Amino acid sequence: MQNQSMEITKSCKNQIIHLLVIFFSILGQYCWGHDIQIQEEVHVGVIVDMSSREGKIVESCIAMAISDFYGIHHNYTTRLLLHTRDSKGQHLHALSAALELLHRFKVEAIIGAETRIDANFLAEIGNKAKLPVVSVLQHSSLPPFDKKLHRFEVHTTPDETSQFKGITALVESFKWRDVILIHGDSEFERDVMSYMIDSLQESNIHITYKSVITTSYTDDKMIKELHKIMTFQTTIFIVHISQHLLAQLVENAKELGMMSKGYAWVMSATTMNHLHFVDSSVFQSMQGVVGLKSYVPQSKDLHNLTSRLRRKIYIENPNMEVMELSAYGVWAYDSVWAVAEAVERTKVKLPAPTRSTTYKSSKQGHGSRLLKEILQTRLRGLSGEFLFKNGRRVSADTYEIVNVIGREERRVGFWSAKLESTKKGHRGRSLLSPNDFEAILWSGGTTTTPKGRSMMGMNGVKLRIGVPMKIGFEELVRVDYDHLQSNATYNVTGFCIDVFKAAVELLPYQVEYQFIPHINASGMTTETYDDLVRQVYLQKYDAVVGDTTITSNRSLYVDFTIPFTDIGVGMVVPNKEKLLNSLSKFVMIIWVFVILILTSSYTATLTSMLTIQQIQLNTKGNYVGYGPAAEGVVINLNFEGAKRFVTPEEYVDALSKGSKHGGVSAIIDEIPYIKIFLAMYPGEYSMIKSMSTTNGFGFVFRKGSPLVHDMSWAIEKLREEGELAKLETEWFRSKSTYTFEESTNGTPDALSVHNFGGLFMISGISSTLALLLFLTLFLKK
């Protein structure tokens, strides 16, 4: 047995030796045919905040970029060796990590810088040590930083200020003229906002208020600031803050109702690029938010990288879900490729050091050459074209316009300064129009674009609008009010109400209001229109909407809009022009019949006209009625026995009796009332316009209210577009099945040839038959 065991052991040794010979033989043949390249390791430091989701993703993207780069460029003579340090979100930790990387590993470049402060610290170290500091997390910007003092700082992210032109174009597209800026309080944020302000002011967009949110804000202080913002009545907010302040801002704004209908929140790319890292509760508070987001073109390589990143993050952090690869992760990935390429070119070009060359001078010269090679990089990365100009990465100035809906940011459009389809403004600005967007769901779940301003009453409440409770002519104003119910409700309708609503819709801002019927405990009003208008002066109401006549006396203590009805008063008289003749049976003399009809008809018309003229000119012996709005006019005309009437039914009763039987010969009232009356009784009465002795109806506001000018403009626009005429037709003629057409001069319609076409036809046929009968008898005879 022992001999057998020794033979087996000897056999195994022989097999192992044989395998080793074969292995070294193959290895020798490979080495003989291929030169072995000794790769030089170049130490590079990476400083990120590993406590943040963004930092973890960026660190993973940097590691994957190294693997992918050298998987393709396996023949390169250099290889980046990364030394990653966690800044823990603290500036001093970042500074300490940078110093350790320099002294311990002699790194030749540093990749990192999450904030502007970190970037300044690392740039200072880079200047002293003469090594490039590549910023992959902090948006770059134009000065304030001094290029001489930050000569070794390299920004591989787009210029932050380019997005402000896109935000301005977005604001212009929705015709918002007033905005409120909300931004952070760091020195960098304050400085960069000057570019946002300049961009808005170039487009004549008024900045109502600038709100600076600090990291020291408690919820109470944040709520106090939001209350202050609400007092400005501007409902368009442009937000440029860090993700750390975002949650506190939007959650408190939602609690105060500032994420409801009528408000619009526009957020910068700086804010929106981090949005997929926020909690679901923050997303819930941000429904309807619109903003810019840095555009990363979709590609197969990007999709592959995203899939691998998800798996890597899930293995290392099972509780962390990655929905998409952030723009910062893509920029970091491309930046590593640029640094690796630059390192290879630097080592190839670097001359051999001489004995007189010190280590320090060699390292300083190498750092400058590496910086130069990085800035000369030109490649096509996952984020698009990657090249530098004047020490900065050239920005594509392309952004997605996204809308927060549910748990995602839905793309609704693009903005780019270089798109060929983009229209150019009068100063070369890139403009947008609502047609450039897909449907946007705004705050409050509405698809209606916010107006931009909210015109409120005192103390931030809705405008209180007094409405008259009237009897008769309810087509103008009608209040349906049930005062018997414990929770009394009312509905206000009518021509004046519809005109007011239509004018408000045309205003370039939101007007919050409520109609308040001016009534007493019994459900009726006991005050005159003068008393109602005076309530605006006494600040019980902010405005009055109804059939309120513009007068010089009322204008002493309130302001009126321009009139939205016809100016002047008219006179209503009964028609006397009936074309009946019960004795016209004698058809043998047809021409006499025609002449009789013609004579009777024109005599009746003439009589009616003369009667109206007598009523207008002869004030003695005729009694007239008048509506409440025309009382002052009737007094000035000195009619005898003038009587006041309120309802259309009272008009009919008085006109049917006439002056001789206790009634009146005519009724004087403002034209809107007369039009309603004539529509109710078509063909029975006529209207004669008199002089423009009244100014029509207007809306009442407090002295100095900006709504007076804006509502007057809206009324003019409604008149020009024919909307007033449409509303008038709808309300003044809808009660009748007949169509009343007022003549252009306001007098009774005159008779013409067309009115007697039938008679002429009968007479012509009769005459022709008589002639034929005569000729037949004559020829026969």
Side-chain angles (χ1 to χ4, degrees):
M1 288 291 294
Q2 185 175 3
N3 293 335
Q4 186 177 2
S5 174
M6 292 177 62
E7 289 178 0
I8 293 174
T9 303
K10 185 177 180 180
S11 175
C12 290
K13 289 181 178 179
N14 292 335
Q15 290 179 0
I16 292 172
I17 293 172
H18 180 70
L19 290 173
L20 288 174
V21 170
I22 294 174
F23 172 77
F24 283 110
S25 175
I26 294 173
L27 180 61
Q29 292 177 3
Y30 179 83
C31 294
W32 184 265
H34 299 81
D35 294 332
I36 296 180
Q37 295 179 344
I38 305 300
Q39 292 182 331
E40 179 183 354
E41 291 183 341
V42 178
H43 298 270
V44 173
V46 177
I47 302 176
V48 293
D49 178 12
M50 295 298 292
S51 64
S52 69
R53 292 168 59 94
E54 188 72 89
K56 292 175 183 177
I57 289 180
V58 167
E59 188 276 332
S60 295
C61 287
I62 290 174
M64 295 171 73
I66 291 291
S67 175
D68 293 348
F69 182 84
Y70 291 110
I72 296 175
H73 304 95
H74 52 78
N75 61 331
Y76 273 25
T77 61
T78 59
R79 185 178 183 89
L80 299 187
L81 182 61
L82 301 182
H83 301 277
T84 303
R85 293 294 181 269
D86 183 6
S87 70
K88 301 179 181 180
Q90 301 293 324
H91 307 312
L92 292 180
H93 275 286
L95 178 61
S96 175
L99 294 174
E100 181 205 359
L101 291 170
L102 275 175
H103 295 293
R104 181 178 178 184
F105 298 103
K106 304 297 188 292
V107 296
E108 298 184 27
I110 295 177
I111 301 174
E114 184 170 3
T115 67
R116 183 69 250 170
I117 296 177
D118 291 346
N120 287 338
F121 281 156
L122 296 183
E124 195 68 28
I125 291 176
N127 270 14
K128 296 291 185 183
K130 299 297 185 292
L131 59 86
V133 175
V134 181
S135 175
V136 297
L137 282 173
Q138 173 61 46
H139 263 293
S140 65
S141 67
L142 298 175
F145 68 80
D146 190 335
K147 189 59 184 174
K148 292 182 179 179
L149 296 178
H150 297 79
R151 189 168 66 89
F152 282 83
E153 184 177 14
V154 179
H155 286 280
T156 59
T157 53
D159 177 10
E160 185 171 34
T161 61
S162 65
Q163 64 177 312
F164 298 145
K165 296 179 182 178
I167 292 176
T168 300
L170 190 64
V171 171
E172 282 187 296
S173 68
F174 296 112
K175 300 181 180 179
W176 295 326
R177 308 314 306 170
D178 300 270
V179 298
I180 287 178
L181 295 185
I182 302 176
H183 62 88
D185 69 329
S186 70
E187 180 182 357
F188 169 71
E189 286 173 312
R190 290 194 299 268
D191 289 334
V192 81
M193 284 309 295
S194 64
Y195 297 98
M196 176 82 265
I197 294 170
D198 290 344
S199 179
L200 291 171
Q201 290 179 343
E202 284 180 5
S203 299
N204 295 320
I205 296 171
H206 177 244
I207 301 173
T208 306
Y209 176 65
K210 289 182 291 184
S211 175
V212 181
I213 306 296
T214 71
T215 54
S216 63
Y217 267 25
T218 62
D219 283 339
D220 290 340
K221 196 166 184 179
M222 180 71 77
I223 290 173
K224 183 179 179 181
E225 178 67 13
L226 290 173
H227 273 299
K228 182 178 180 180
I229 290 174
M230 292 176 69
T231 63
F232 291 99
Q233 301 180 355
T234 296
T235 60
I236 308 301
F237 309 125
I238 297 178
V239 180
H240 182 76
I241 58 174
S242 66
Q243 64 181 105
H244 306 292
L245 289 172
L246 180 62
Q248 188 182 17
L249 172 66
V250 297
E251 288 178 349
N252 282 293
K254 184 181 180 181
E255 288 294 323
L256 296 178
M258 297 174 71
M259 288 287 180
S260 58
K261 181 180 179 182
Y263 290 92
W265 293 77
V266 179
M267 297 193 175
S268 68
T270 306
T271 303
M272 297 296 284
N273 284 342
H274 294 283
L275 197 58
H276 54 282
F277 295 126
V278 302
D279 296 333
S280 58
S281 60
V282 180
F283 249 97
Q284 190 62 35
S285 299
M286 293 180 63
Q287 297 300 295
V289 166
V290 174
L292 268 60
K293 187 177 179 182
S294 297
Y295 174 63
V296 177
Q298 295 297 313
S299 65
K300 184 178 179 180
D301 291 338
L302 178 63
H303 178 74
N304 178 267
L305 177 63
T306 304
S307 299
R308 290 187 289 136
L309 179 69
R310 285 198 187 110
R311 290 195 296 269
K312 184 176 186 298
I313 292 294
Y314 179 76
I315 293 172
E316 297 174 354
N317 301 275
N319 296 327
M320 179 177 167
E321 183 181 7
V322 178
M323 300 299 296
E324 63 177 301
L325 184 58
S326 70
Y328 294 102
V330 179
W331 293 332
Y333 183 93
D334 287 347
S335 299
V336 171
W337 277 56
V339 172
E341 283 280 7
V343 166
E344 178 69 15
R345 293 195 304 271
T346 302
K347 293 297 182 180
V348 171
K349 297 178 181 179
L350 188 64
T354 62
R355 290 186 178 181
S356 61
T357 304
T358 64
Y359 172 80
K360 183 176 181 181
S361 62
S362 175
K363 188 169 182 63
Q364 289 177 353
H366 178 66
S368 298
R369 280 186 287 271
L370 179 57
L371 174 65
K372 181 180 179 181
E373 291 296 334
I374 292 175
L375 296 178
Q376 289 179 350
T377 299
R378 188 183 186 95
L379 59 85
R380 187 72 184 179
L382 294 182
S383 59
E385 190 175 16
F386 197 99
L387 71 157
F388 293 87
K389 183 178 180 181
N390 298 327
R392 299 180 175 281
R393 182 182 174 183
V394 175
S395 175
D397 288 345
T398 301
Y399 294 89
E400 295 179 85
I401 300 172
V402 296
N403 183 200
V404 179
I405 301 176
R407 191 61 178 83
E408 64 178 4
E409 310 132 63
R410 182 170 63 88
R411 181 194 298 165
V412 295
F414 286 94
W415 178 84
S416 174
K418 298 180 180 179
L419 285 179
E420 294 180 359
S421 60
T422 302
K423 302 174 183 178
K424 293 295 182 180
H426 65 282
R427 296 186 182 178
R429 298 190 311 274
S430 302
L431 303 179
L432 293 170
S433 73
N435 295 329
D436 296 328
F437 307 118
E438 296 180 14
I440 295 177
L441 190 67
W442 298 98
S443 299
T446 178
T447 56
T448 303
T449 303
K451 293 295 186 66
R453 283 176 58 196
S454 177
M455 186 60 67
M456 310 288 281
M458 297 180 63
N459 301 322
V461 298
K462 295 180 179 180
L463 287 177
R464 298 163 298 175
I465 299 179
V467 178
M469 187 74 176
K470 56 193 279 82
I471 301 175
F473 294 99
E474 293 180 341
E475 290 82 358
L476 292 171
V477 181
R478 174 171 178 169
V479 179
D480 295 317
Y481 185 83
D482 189 358
H483 63 281
L484 298 177
Q485 298 293 331
S486 58
N487 54 342
T489 59
Y490 52 83
N491 183 40
V492 183
T493 57
F495 169 72
C496 298
I497 303 300
D498 282 359
V499 172
F500 177 81
K501 291 179 177 179
V504 166
E505 286 298 316
L506 291 177
L507 297 179
Y509 48 81
Q510 192 80 14
V511 177
E512 300 291 338
Y513 59 86
Q514 59 178 338
F515 292 122
I516 303 175
H518 187 62
I519 55 179
N520 54 23
S522 62
M524 299 301 295
T525 181
T526 57
E527 298 179 338
T528 65
Y529 274 58
D530 285 339
D531 296 324
L532 173 59
V533 171
R534 191 173 293 112
Q535 300 306 311
V536 175
Y537 174 75
L538 298 175
Q539 299 189 1
K540 179 179 180 179
Y541 302 127
D542 299 302
V544 167
V545 171
D547 50 339
T548 312
T549 304
I550 302 170
T551 66
S552 58
N553 182 55
R554 295 171 181 172
S555 298
L556 294 175
Y557 47 92
V558 295
D559 282 344
F560 284 92
T561 63
I562 63 171
F564 57 88
T565 61
D566 292 331
I567 295 176
V569 296
M571 183 178 293
V572 179
V573 295
N575 295 331
K576 304 297 185 179
E577 49 190 317
K578 296 181 180 180
L579 302 177
L580 297 177
N581 191 340
S582 59
L583 300 178
S584 56
K585 301 178 181 179
F586 187 56
V587 294
M588 292 178 60
I589 314 175
I590 191 63
W591 278 107
V592 175
F593 172 75
V594 173
I595 292 172
L596 177 63
I597 295 298
L598 288 172
T599 304
S600 300
S601 299
Y602 278 104
T603 301
T605 303
L606 181 61
T607 303
S608 178
M609 292 180 178
L610 292 175
T611 301
I612 292 170
Q613 291 176 4
Q614 286 178 352
I615 293 175
Q616 286 183 291
L617 301 176
N618 184 12
T619 61
K620 293 185 178 181
N622 291 292
Y623 296 98
V624 297
Y626 62 91
E631 184 172 4
V633 176
V634 173
I635 293 174
N636 292 333
L637 292 177
N638 296 318
F639 277 100
E640 293 182 357
K643 301 178 181 180
R644 187 175 186 270
F645 301 106
V646 177
T647 66
E649 292 74 19
E650 293 177 348
Y651 284 19
V652 172
D653 180 65
L655 289 171
S656 61
K657 293 179 179 178
S659 296
K660 295 182 179 180
H661 299 91
V664 294
S665 300
I667 290 182
I668 297 174
D669 211 339
E670 291 203 62
I671 292 176
Y673 299 109
I674 295 177
K675 285 186 174 182
I676 295 174
F677 178 74
L678 294 178
M680 298 174 67
Y681 302 96
E684 300 181 35
Y685 302 91
S686 296
M687 177 180 71
I688 302 299
K689 282 188 179 179
S690 68
M691 295 182 296
S692 300
T693 53
T694 63
N695 297 313
F697 298 163
F699 300 129
V700 180
F701 294 95
R702 291 180 185 171
K703 279 287 187 181
S705 171
L707 279 171
V708 175
H709 174 270
D710 294 346
M711 288 291 285
S712 296
W713 168 85
I715 292 170
E716 289 176 348
K717 192 170 182 63
L718 288 173
R719 182 174 285 113
E720 291 171 0
E721 295 178 350
E723 292 299 320
L724 275 182
K726 291 180 182 178
L727 290 173
E728 183 177 302
T729 300
E730 177 183 347
W731 281 101
F732 293 178
R733 305 182 185 184
S734 59
K735 296 289 185 180
S736 174
T737 56
Y738 301 95
T739 300
F740 170 80
E741 295 293 343
E742 179 192 349
S743 60
T744 57
N745 61 359
T747 59
D749 292 338
L751 299 175
S752 65
V753 175
H754 298 288
N755 298 98
F756 301 97
L759 293 178
F760 287 132
M761 184 180 297
I762 293 173
S763 64
I765 293 173
S766 301
S767 300
T768 302
L769 290 176
L771 178 60
L772 291 175
L773 181 60
F774 171 77
L775 292 175
T776 302
L777 293 175
F778 177 77
L779 293 174
K780 183 177 181 180
K781 184 176 180 179

